[in-house]
Amino acid sequence: MRQYAVKGGAPLVGEVEIGGAKNAALGILAAALMADETVEIENVPDLSDIDVMLGALKTLGARVDKVNRHTVRINGSTVHTTSLLDDALNKIRGSYYFVGALLGKYGKAEVILPGGCSIGSRPVDLHMKGFRALGATAEIDHACMVCDSEKLTGSHIFMDGVSVGATINIMLAAVMAEGQTYIENAAKEPHVVDVANFLNSMGASIKGAGTDVIRIKGVERLHATHYSIIPDQIEAGTFMMAAAATKGDVLIKNVIPKHLESITSKLLEIGCEIEEFDDSIRVVSSKPFFHTQVKTAPYPGFPTDMQPQIAVVLGLAEGTSIITETIFENRLKYVDELVRLGANMRAEGNTAIIEGVQRYSGGNVTAPDLRAGAALVVAGLSAEGVTLISDIHYVERGYEDFPEKLRSLGAQIELVETDKDIQRFKLRVS
Ligand code: UD1
């Protein structure tokens, strides 16, 4: 069984480089098939979710060339099918972007329903409603999203709820529709803006991404481009929490500090020192933490994808902290795992009630999902003794070279597969 073995207790110190945003890359890779010319995309993170997307592009018939570890060239002119039924695609979330991209370009799509982390019911009704508003038929049939249209026509779409996935997906479908589309109550996340910027660099006409209303004027075709994906807000935030929880001093490079504001402001409130530079951010944690309250919200609010990581830090704060999860209904599964490491916290509905403890102690835990898995690593790094984290395939979906990057900051963390590996790790760190 593949696990991370972590010996905690040492502060993380040094510099770490953040990679390209996974959730932007998922939308951008699907969007890439919409051009009949070659698009070159840089700063693509090297992650298992990305491999699944690249595999799907190949299945569709697109030409995919990896120029180097983080640069890929895609040419969609050879796409010969609009069906994606491979089971691998229902392990990830971003596969739903192929629906918008294929429908937008070819007028039809048949894509297996997405999976991703089990953090709530995660319906796709808003996506389908948007496609229908553009004139397509859109049904769920045998666990597939099936969409068809003679001609897509621009429309006025009001989103009942703020959804990152639906906003991007409808944007993809509308880019080549006839006339003007308005998406109201759109998600404003940085990766929504990045996908829009990518599409605009291919000749699309999208205005207002990053605000509540996105305006899209349909164009006939999309052309070649050369584009670099924005840094990953959540990877950066996770390293910020790791610096805080271990009482470290870390310079996190290649970030957009503006995207991290909600995270920065909570860390300041808790008692960390933060220094912001043009494209890096330094987190210094030397004082006891104050307790606080955190409520997740769509951007620019506190990201739901950072909720488990900040819980780890608050678990070490003096007094009672409260976290309220407002986006997903089942995102506190990590609480029981942290309790195994000595945390004093409990989940009541969508609220985590956290009484701070002096320190965590090592133990055996299981990653319940991607971000919670990363949070358990952070907890292990701040715990006394050795922590073993299993189900790390979740973590690998979203964090490139996680153990390597942490080791460069002085962490003792290793990927172990056998009992012998674990014994060897324990001997080495004892
Ligand atoms: C994306 C991110 C995920 C992040 C989330 C919220 C990707 C691949 N994943 O997920 O990491 O946690 O945004 O920032 O980018 N909803 C509906 N109907 C729909 C769509 C969504 O009711 O058709 C609801 C969801 O159940 C949830 C809320 O809207 O309660 C927000 O979900 P959404 O923003 O769509 O999240 P995802 O795109 O799934």
Side-chain angles (χ1 to χ4, degrees), residues 208-256:
T211 74
D212 286 336
V213 186
I214 300 180
R215 306 183 307 280
I216 304 160
K217 207 162 118 198
V219 296
E220 285 205 355
R221 56 182 290 277
L222 298 175
H223 54 66
T225 187
H226 188 119
Y227 193 82
S228 183
I229 293 174
I230 52 164
D232 196 299
Q233 174 204 21
I234 306 301
E235 187 194 11
T238 302
F239 277 98
M240 291 169 78
M241 293 303 161
T246 61
K247 299 281 173 209
D249 178 348
V250 178
L251 182 70
I252 299 151
K253 292 162 72 174
N254 186 33
V255 301
I256 299 175

Side-chain angles (χ1 to χ4, degrees), residues 22-24 26-27 49 92-97 114-117 119-129 145 159-168 187 189 191 233-234 297-299 302-306 325-329 331 370-371 397:
K22 171 184 83 95
N23 287 347
L26 298 172
D49 274 22
I92 71 169
R93 194 84 204 140
S95 52
Y96 51 25
Y97 293 136
C117 290
I119 51 182
S121 64
R122 308 190 83 176
V124 291
D125 56 311
L126 296 174
H127 304 237
M128 303 301 254
K129 203 174 148 187
M145 293 166 82
M159 308 288 289
D160 297 332
V162 179
S163 160
V164 173
T167 301
I168 292 178
E189 266 68 4
H191 42 294
Q233 174 204 21
I234 306 301
Y299 189 82
F302 191 87
T304 171
D305 280 5
M306 283 301 304
E325 169 59 47
T326 70
I327 313 280
F328 293 109
E329 62 271 23
R331 207 163 194 180
L370 163 53
R371 305 302 172 185
R397 284 186 41 214

Side-chain angles (χ1 to χ4, degrees), residues 243-244 247-250 271-275 282-287:
K247 299 281 173 209
D249 178 348
V250 178
C272 294
E273 290 158 57
I274 310 265
E275 246 184 297
R282 181 175 169 208
V283 178
V284 183
S285 164
S286 56
K287 303 184 200 118

